[in-house]
């Protein structure tokens, strides 16, 4: 197999949790509020159990072909050429996803913190760390996520508790009145697709996970907890900023951290919030890059994948500079269509693979004559 390392269920669960939170921790409140307006917090909560069902579909697909990653599953179900065509779609998605996450880091850092630093310098530093993480293999990635996840959780809990004095329940009114059915359904779709639908690269990692007790349960719980944490962020943002300001501040969570002021002593902790977001986005982008590199090695039947890390990192650096000219382009042009892309690759195509598998199994079991 391409990957010699193995991770345990706990490390897989932490990777899933970090990916669910990922870049969504900063932009999720704004994105979902732009669809569901006043009822965004309801959509976010409804998306938690529905996201678990989507995660269950990913696990089911992998369990039907134990020891095989997404590339091998596509070939087994669809055949060599159709399977490779689906693989190319997924590899392109993994590469563009890693590029978009890297660009998000560059745009955020240069617009909010280091405003006079060239964005290419930030992107280059981020890509180097991504390549370094992938080079050390899956075990190192899993252990790193175990070390970093408690820091992330503590930062978010501090943010939530310190904002409690500024909560205004009237910001949630009116409930289910002015939004309409279609925007609410769109908000629910976003609450499923963005946090959990973007876990498709995990299907490149599950075959290299040690089989342990309660693996499915732990994976589902980690995905649900990550999605629930995002729902809490949305609710806090609505309670403190209101629907209008949450929708029109792309970095709503960062704005929230700037509002913390306890006794004139504990304040200006937005750098801590930025650090926690960078940690989760780094893990998510690293898994996307790993899935792209391992998928390419599997597609071309290479014996090892590390030779692809340098060219893939250089490609990632170039695409991160080209995928978007600025933050406004991402918000206006990319975000409205990204949900359709995620829906296609995280619901439609995996569902199609499951249906074809069931059809082939039923056809084989059909009595002849």
């Amino acid at each position: 197999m391409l990957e010699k390392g193995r991770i345990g269920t706990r490390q897989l669960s932490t990777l899933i949790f970090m990916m669910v939170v990922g870049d969504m921790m900063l932009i999720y409140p704004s994105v979902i509020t732009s669809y569901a307006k006043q009822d965004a917090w309801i959509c976010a909560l409804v998306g938690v159990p529905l996201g678990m069902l989507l995660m269950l579909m990913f696990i089911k697909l992998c369990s039907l072909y134990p020891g095989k990653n997404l590339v091998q599953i596509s070939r087994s179900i669809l055949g060599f050429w159709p399977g490779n065509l689906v693989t190319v779609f997924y590899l392109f998605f993994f590469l563009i996803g890693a590029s978009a996450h890297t660009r998000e880091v560059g745009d955020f850092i240069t617009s909010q913190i280091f405003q006079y630093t060239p964005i290419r310098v930030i992107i280059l530093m981020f890509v180097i760390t991504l390549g370094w993480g992938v080079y050390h293999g899956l075990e190192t990635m899993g252990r790193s996520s175990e070390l970093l996840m408690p820091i992330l959780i503590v930062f978010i809990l501090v943010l939530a508790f310190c904002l409690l004095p500024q909560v205004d329940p009237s910001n949630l009114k009116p409930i289910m009145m002015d939004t309409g059915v279609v925007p609410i359904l769109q908000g629910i779709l976003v609450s499923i697709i963005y946090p959990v639908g973007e876990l498709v690269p995990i299907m490149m990692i599950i075959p290299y996970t040690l089989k342990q007790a309660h693996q499915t349960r732990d994976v589902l719980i980690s995905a649900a907890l990550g999605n629930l944490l995002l729902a809490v962020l949305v609710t806090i943002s609505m309670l403190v900023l209101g629907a209008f300001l949450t929708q029109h501040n792309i970095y709503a969570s960062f704005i929230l951290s700037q509002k913390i002021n306890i006794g004139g002593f504990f304040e200006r902790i937005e750098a801590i919030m930025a650090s926690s977001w960078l940690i989760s986005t780094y893990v998510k982008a690293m898994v996307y890059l790993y899935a792209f590199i391992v998928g390419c090695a599997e597609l071309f039947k290479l014996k090892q994948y590390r030779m692809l890390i340098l060219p893939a990192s250089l490609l990632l650096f170039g695409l991160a500079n080209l995928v978007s000219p600025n933050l406004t382009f991402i918000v206006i042009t990319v975000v409205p269509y990204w949900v359709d892309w995620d829906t296609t690759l995280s619901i439609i195509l995996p569902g199609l693979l499951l249906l074809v598998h069931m059809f082939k199994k039923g056809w084989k079991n059909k009595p002849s004559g």
Side-chain angles (χ1 to χ4, degrees):
M1 299 179 74
L2 285 170
E3 177 60 65
K4 305 300 182 184
R6 293 293 182 271
I7 60 174
T9 299
R10 184 175 61 185
Q11 294 168 339
L12 178 65
S13 300
T14 56
L15 281 174
I16 288 174
F17 178 87
M18 298 287 277
M19 287 187 67
V20 170
V21 177
D23 59 327
M24 291 292 108
M25 187 173 68
L26 205 61
I27 66 174
Y28 184 66
S30 174
V31 171
I32 192 172
T33 308
S34 66
Y35 287 95
K37 303 297 188 293
Q38 203 74 27
D39 300 316
W41 64 281
I42 299 176
C43 297
L45 290 173
V46 171
V48 175
L50 296 179
M52 293 177 69
L53 293 177
L54 180 59
M55 189 68 216
L56 187 61
M57 183 175 70
F58 296 158
I59 298 173
K60 177 65 176 177
L61 190 58
C62 290
S63 65
L64 293 173
Y65 296 88
K68 292 186 177 182
N69 56 37
L70 182 58
V71 177
Q72 296 167 324
I73 292 173
S74 298
R75 284 177 179 164
S76 299
I77 295 177
L78 301 177
F80 184 79
W81 290 111
N84 283 341
L85 181 61
V86 171
T87 296
V88 169
F89 278 126
Y90 273 111
L91 293 181
F92 183 69
F93 173 67
F94 296 157
L95 179 60
I96 295 298
S99 303
H101 299 145
T102 304
R103 180 70 192 207
E104 285 176 353
V105 170
D107 284 330
F108 172 75
I109 294 296
T110 54
S111 64
Q112 303 294 326
I113 301 177
F114 300 128
Q115 299 178 359
Y116 298 102
T117 303
I119 189 172
R120 293 187 179 184
V121 175
I122 303 297
I123 290 175
L124 178 61
M125 294 172 63
F126 193 72
V127 169
I128 290 174
T129 57
L130 289 177
W132 185 250
V134 174
Y135 176 78
H136 283 280
L138 185 58
E139 289 186 10
T140 302
M141 292 165 56
R143 291 169 183 167
S144 299
S145 66
E146 278 188 294
L147 291 174
L148 295 174
M149 190 180 74
I151 301 174
L152 176 68
I153 294 175
V154 169
F155 285 171
I156 296 178
L157 291 179
V158 167
L159 175 70
F161 282 112
C162 291
L163 286 171
L164 288 179
Q166 302 184 41
V167 164
D168 183 6
S170 64
N171 286 332
L172 298 182
K173 300 177 182 179
I175 299 175
M176 305 291 288
M177 293 289 289
D178 302 329
T179 306
V181 176
V182 174
I184 290 178
L185 292 178
Q186 290 176 330
I188 293 175
L189 179 63
V190 167
S191 70
I192 303 169
I193 291 300
Y194 278 144
V196 182
E198 295 189 351
L199 288 177
V200 173
I202 287 294
M203 296 176 69
M204 298 294 296
I205 293 178
I206 289 178
Y208 311 121
T209 305
L210 297 173
K211 301 301 178 184
Q212 296 175 333
H214 310 300
Q215 185 179 70
T216 300
R217 183 200 64 184
D218 294 346
V219 166
L220 290 177
I221 290 176
S222 64
L225 288 177
N227 207 353
L228 181 61
L229 194 63
L230 292 177
V232 170
L233 278 177
V234 172
T235 306
I236 290 290
S237 182
M238 297 282 290
L239 287 169
V240 176
L241 299 177
F244 182 82
L245 290 178
T246 300
Q247 176 184 349
H248 292 88
N249 282 295
I250 185 65
Y251 302 130
S253 300
F254 188 73
I255 301 299
L256 287 175
S257 63
Q258 293 177 330
K259 287 184 168 292
I260 292 177
N261 187 349
I262 298 180
F265 171 72
F266 190 71
E267 57 182 352
R268 305 296 297 178
I269 66 165
E270 58 267 23
I272 297 178
M273 185 65 190
S275 300
S276 60
W277 177 75
L278 285 173
I279 288 172
S280 58
T281 306
Y282 169 73
V283 173
K284 187 173 184 178
M286 182 167 57
V287 173
Y288 266 75
L289 181 60
Y290 174 85
F292 171 73
I293 292 174
V294 173
C296 286
E298 185 67 49
L299 178 65
F300 296 106
K301 298 186 179 298
L302 302 179
K303 293 183 179 179
Q304 53 125 349
Y305 67 89
R306 282 189 169 85
M307 66 177 69
L308 300 177
I309 293 177
L310 179 58
S313 299
L314 294 175
L315 183 60
L316 176 61
F317 174 74
L319 282 176
N321 285 284
L322 293 175
V323 72
S324 168
N326 49 54
L327 179 62
T328 305
F329 180 86
I330 291 180
V331 175
I332 296 177
T333 306
V334 176
V335 170
Y337 297 100
W338 195 277
V339 66
D340 300 327
W341 198 17
D342 277 352
T343 302
T344 302
L345 292 169
S346 61
I347 294 181
I348 296 177
L349 281 182
L352 180 64
L353 290 174
L354 274 175
L355 287 176
V356 173
H357 167 81
M358 293 170 61
F359 178 79
K360 290 174 64 177
K361 184 178 180 181
W363 184 266
K364 288 181 180 178
N365 295 334
K366 183 179 179 181
S368 58

